[in-house]
């Protein structure tokens, strides 16, 4: 197996690997294809990433697109204007991007800031405050002004079959089954199936259906 591991300082030029592990401070200089990529330290990737499994419990800065079967974020992932595509994405850390996120299943139990999120099933539970991320610097202005907000996650446009949101601010949310929990602030909701809105959520315009009562 071709395995690359960085424990102190180092860099990878790119290429094909079975496994890549970065525990120190590492840089991936070119396009990389790997069976799995694990980041526990600090990493900067300048090329595209294609992998079966991408796991980040440290800090990763991605300059180009990533395509993975499974993405798991327990630390911080910052991505410039490029796509993140996966079969499933699970984030209990911070995901900050200026590009499009697309996956069959997206579950966030942390904080996300993105312009476009698309999927079949999307669930976002914002818990920035509970996870004690106040000591982490705000990256506002680094990626076109996208911010990490302590009170809510932010997504400009979101589309999926099933959507469940808690503590999310968005311009447009479109889906078949939509649940908007407490702390949500949505400008426009389009729903062609079932829509539930918590009394603690704020919604501007509703298109498609009449909301049914919230069930505790």
């Amino acid at each position: 197996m071709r395995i690359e591991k960085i424990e102190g300082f180092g860099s990878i030029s790119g290429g094909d690997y079975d496994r890549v592990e970065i525990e120190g401070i590492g840089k991936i200089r070119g396009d990389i294809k790997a069976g799995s990529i694990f980041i526990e330290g600090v990493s900067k990737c300048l090329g595209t990433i294609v992998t079966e499994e991408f796991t980040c419990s440290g800090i990763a800065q991605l300059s180009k697109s990533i395509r993975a079967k499974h993405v798991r974020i327990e630390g911080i992932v910052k991505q410039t204007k490029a796509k993140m595509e996966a079969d499933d994405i699970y984030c209990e850390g911070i995901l900050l991007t200026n590009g499009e996120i697309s996956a069959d299943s997206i579950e966030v139990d942390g904080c996300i800031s993105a312009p476009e999120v698309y999927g079949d099933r999307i669930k976002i539970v914002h818990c920035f405050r509970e996870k004690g991320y106040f000591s982490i610097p705000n990256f506002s202005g680094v990626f076109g002004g996208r911010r990490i907000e302590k009170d809510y996650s932010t997504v400009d446009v979101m589309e999926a079959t099933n959507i469940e949101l808690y503590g999310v601010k968005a311009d447009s949310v479109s889906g078949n089954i939509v649940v908007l929990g407490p702390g949500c602030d949505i400008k426009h909701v389009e729903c062609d199936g079932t829509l539930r809105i918590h009394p603690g959520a704020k919604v501007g315009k509703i298109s498609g259906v009449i909301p049914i009562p919230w069930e505790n």
Side-chain angles (χ1 to χ4, degrees):
M1 295 179 65
R2 191 181 182 197
I3 299 174
E4 184 71 32
K5 188 172 185 178
I6 298 175
E7 294 181 315
F9 293 86
S11 64
I12 304 171
S13 60
D16 293 348
Y17 298 89
D18 294 294
R19 182 182 178 92
V20 173
E21 297 179 18
I22 298 176
E23 297 180 359
I25 299 177
K27 180 182 287 186
I28 301 174
R29 299 184 180 277
D31 297 343
I32 190 168
K33 183 176 182 180
S36 59
I37 298 175
F38 294 91
I39 298 171
E40 295 182 357
V42 179
S43 175
K44 185 175 184 179
C45 183
L46 304 179
T48 60
I49 297 174
V50 177
T51 182
E52 294 284 316
E53 183 177 1
F54 179 86
T55 302
C56 177
S57 57
I59 299 175
Q61 181 172 323
L62 312 180
S63 297
K64 293 187 178 180
S65 64
I66 175 172
R67 176 69 181 96
K69 281 193 174 182
H70 312 290
V71 172
R72 184 176 181 88
I73 300 168
E74 297 176 357
I76 303 172
V77 171
K78 303 177 291 177
Q79 186 180 31
T80 53
K81 196 171 183 179
K83 281 188 176 183
M84 176 178 289
E85 298 177 275
D87 290 353
D88 58 82
I89 298 172
Y90 178 75
C91 173
E92 58 180 18
I94 294 175
L95 174 54
L96 172 63
T97 180
N98 257 348
E100 176 187 314
I101 298 174
S102 177
D104 292 337
S105 174
I106 301 170
E107 185 172 354
V108 177
D109 188 26
C111 179
I112 182 174
S113 178
E116 298 176 83
V117 178
Y118 305 102
D120 181 58
R121 175 184 174 272
I122 298 174
K123 182 178 181 180
I124 300 175
V125 180
H126 181 81
C127 53
F128 184 99
R129 186 183 304 277
E130 298 170 9
K131 289 182 176 292
Y133 287 144
F134 292 111
S135 62
I136 295 176
N138 193 314
F139 298 108
S140 176
V142 177
F143 298 98
R146 294 214 69 88
R147 298 175 59 86
I148 297 175
E149 300 288 353
K150 63 182 181 181
D151 296 322
Y152 47 80
S153 289
T154 57
V155 177
D156 298 342
V157 177
M158 186 185 309
E159 294 182 13
T161 304
N162 295 275
I163 298 175
E164 187 174 358
L165 307 177
Y166 301 86
V168 176
K169 186 174 183 179
D171 291 336
S172 175
V173 172
S174 177
N176 176 254
I177 300 174
V178 179
V179 176
L180 303 179
C184 286
D185 185 351
I186 313 297
K187 290 183 180 180
H188 184 200
V189 178
E190 293 184 70
C191 180
D192 57 6
T194 303
L195 174 62
R196 287 187 173 90
I197 302 175
H198 189 274
K202 180 182 177 181
V203 177
K205 179 182 178 181
I206 299 174
S207 301
V209 298
I210 297 174
I212 63 176
W214 181 266
E215 296 180 357
N216 293 323

